[in-house]
Amino acid sequence: MSILPRTGAASGADVLIALRHVSKSYRRGGQIIPVVSDITFDIRRAEFLALMGPSGSGKSTLLNLIAGIDTPDGGSITMGGADITRLPEAELADWRAANVGFIFQFYNLMPVLTALENVELPLTLTRLGRRDRRERALLALDLVGLSDRVRHFPSELSGGQQQRVAIARAIVTDPTVLVADEPTGDLDRQSAEDVLAIMQRLNREMGKTIVMVTHDRRAAEHARSIMQLEKGELSQRVELPHD
Amino acid sequence: MRLLLAYSLRNLRTRKITTALTAGGMALVLFVFAAVLMLDSGLKQTLVSTGEDANAIFVRRSAEVEIQSMVDRRQAGIIESQPEVLLGSDGAPVVSKEVVVLIALPRQGSGQTSNIVTRGVGAAVLTLRPKIHIAKGRMFRPGSNEIMIGGALVGRFTGLQEGSTLRFAQRDWQVVGQFDAGGSGFDSEIWGDNAQFMQAFRRDAYSSVVVRLASRAGFNSIKARLESDRRLTVEAKREGVFYEEQSRLMSGFIQILGVTLSVLFSVGAVIGATITMYAAVASRKREIGALRALGFRRSSILVAFLAEAMLLGMVGWVVGLSLASLMMLVKVTTLNWASLSELAFRFVLTPGIVLQSLCFAIVMGFLGGFLPALRASRMKIVDALRAN
Ligand SMILES: Nc1ncnc2c1ncn2[C@@H]1O[C@H](COP(=O)(O)OP(=O)(O)O)[C@@H](O)[C@H]1O
Ligand SMILES: [Mg+2]
């Protein structure tokens, strides 16, 4: 698979998330460490974007800002015209529940809940009744090929299976955007392929917008576009041709 | 909500040993708390059930207990001839003119002496107090040196049983029967003929006069009339009220002591719960971060961890109350402060105690869980997710 450079600019119509002059620094022992500085770019609807870069380059920080679990020091992040950086704490939580699906490197499933219950968990934040929740959770687990593991606890599942449960949990609320931070970072090659194939399918067949952080080129090649983050600055977007 | 509750409950179940230890500390406190309240309610029940509301008791004005009281024969005669007093089938008023004297008897085993109430009663006493019945032997014969003993005395005092002879007031008394007063204070008394007791103890006045009222409503009129009668120096009370008042001082003391002890102990249990919950929060940072990322608000995290701590308290409650309820099998004796005599009673578990101890358990859990839950809810999501 070859990587051919194309234009990185998004046309105005299909922009889903717009970042404008976003910067974030952390304070460590009286010292201020800038992590991302003055970043401006768009994420298009139905895009599958891979954010790449060396360790410590600020990929996770940028992703956390997009996902609304961290707030920038400056700049704005808008989605559907609303600036999420201005939302108060509780409203931001509701916004995440409705709009963001999370896939973490270490799955972060609740160990005391079964696969089904883990997937059902974010639905308890919706108005769905118990039966509907159950039904949708089962559907999501079916989508990631784990229909036969619904009563299993995370400790009874392999890493790859746990990550698939996490994907089911991320998509069960039908969020606007999926964010994934090194989703294959803890998986063997085969499991990683399975997980990436599912994400690819979610993007192509269901039009899910996905932002994935990875430092693994092979993982990034499953995306449709790649951006490089280095020393707090973002490179041009590279579009990947797929079949 | 159900799922979040299951989350809290299962986390407790997962760390069985810490849960058991922490809940055990709370259980101990709740055991003490419930046991003391059971003691109090048992004592109250015993004393209160001693009196009958259909009876009126007359004692010397401002005498709080019978041993302080004197009612002479002339006054007793006036009291029993009042129209409110029930007449028996023989046409005589249902009345018991009683003389109450403490005697010291050697206790079984230790040989140390304890005070016992001896009560000289009238022949109509069993009509007057229908809850009391002869359990063994028979009623003493009026005018004789025969006596009956209350069931709670058997086995507690040397040689005190039906058929034995007892020496007090320079006389020998024949124990001809044993009565059952349904666990009331009378069960710890010795009863005999009032005229015989007055002679033996060299008394010329009664301690109290108890009458059966023809109707409960008659109490107010007999009380009003006799208390304003210049010839009399008596005060009338419903018998039930009279004994309930006796229990107040002791009950108040037990309650204050019990609650103070429980609260002191609970400080330790609450600190234990706090430590446990802080550890739980620290070991589940990433979970907390993930929950927040999924859209659970800070308040939900607070509630989840508070619920976990309160559930911990409820586990302690179940264990503590179970242990305390075993105390119902235990029979205890204590000094009745009001009469300075021994009183036998049981621990009694009431619905009120079940509820009060549950509230106590939940409050302990809440207090223990509060700071850790607050910490959990205040963590920054990104920091929580970076924890390992
Ligand atoms: N919560 C934080 N507190 C302090 N420093 C942080 C925090 N998060 C990230 N950093 C620092 O910011 C830099 C970028 O981190 P991160 O976004 O995790 O990088 P990447 O995901 O690309 O490896 C690192 O130097 C990291 O130590
Ligand atoms: Mg990272």
Side-chain angles (χ1 to χ4, degrees), chain A residues 26 28 35 54-61, chain B residues 382-383 386:
Chain A
Y26 285 111
R28 196 182 292 148
V35 182
S55 181
S57 56
K59 306 183 294 295
S60 294
T61 302
Chain B
V382 284
D383 293 339
R386 281 162 64 96

Side-chain angles (χ1 to χ4, degrees), chain B residues 74-277:
Chain B
R74 190 179 53 90
Q75 294 194 31
I78 296 171
I79 294 167
E80 69 180 331
S81 61
Q82 296 301 309
E84 288 87 353
V85 177
L86 180 71
L87 298 180
S89 48
D90 56 354
V94 180
V95 59
S96 178
K97 295 179 268 190
E98 307 194 335
V99 54
V100 175
V101 182
L102 293 182
I103 60 168
L105 285 183
R107 271 206 301 249
Q108 193 97 42
S110 74
Q112 285 175 316
T113 59
S114 280
N115 285 340
I116 302 184
V117 169
T118 62
R119 183 183 295 271
V121 297
V125 69
L126 293 184
T127 319
L128 196 69
R129 297 188 174 115
K131 280 186 276 189
I132 299 176
H133 63 268
I134 307 292
K136 263 189 194 166
R138 56 176 175 81
M139 169 87 175
F140 63 83
R141 270 179 298 139
S144 73
N145 65 339
E146 293 175 353
I147 53 173
M148 307 192 286
I149 56 172
L153 294 176
V154 178
R156 281 168 50 212
F157 289 91
T158 313
L160 206 50
Q161 64 194 47
E162 189 216 341
S164 66
T165 304
L166 199 63
R167 187 165 178 85
F168 61 83
Q170 281 108 47
R171 281 205 205 174
D172 286 326
W173 305 85
Q174 202 69 41
V175 182
V176 296
Q178 180 186 325
F179 60 88
D180 176 359
S184 73
F186 292 133
D187 268 326
S188 300
E189 296 184 355
I190 292 174
W191 284 9
D193 180 82
N194 51 4
Q196 294 297 313
F197 275 26
M198 281 170 86
Q199 259 182 32
F201 288 114
R202 297 175 214 285
R203 301 283 171 111
D204 53 8
Y206 300 107
S207 306
S208 63
V209 176
V210 183
V211 302
R212 186 93 180 159
L213 299 168
S215 84
R216 281 163 183 247
F219 177 76
N220 292 335
S221 57
I222 194 172
K223 177 182 171 72
R225 188 176 328 109
L226 293 184
E227 287 186 354
S228 61
D229 191 324
R230 293 265 186 83
R231 296 168 298 172
L232 301 178
T233 54
V234 297
E235 182 176 9
K237 280 180 183 163
R238 284 196 191 273
E239 202 185 19
V241 174
F242 179 77
Y243 284 102
E244 200 239 305
E245 283 174 357
Q246 286 196 4
S247 72
R248 269 183 213 159
L249 179 65
M250 207 164 11
S251 168
F253 176 77
I254 290 174
Q255 282 185 8
I256 289 171
L257 184 78
V259 170
T260 308
L261 272 183
S262 311
V263 167
L264 280 180
F265 290 170
S266 74
V267 173
V270 166
I271 290 174
T274 304
I275 292 170
T276 299
M277 291 308 297

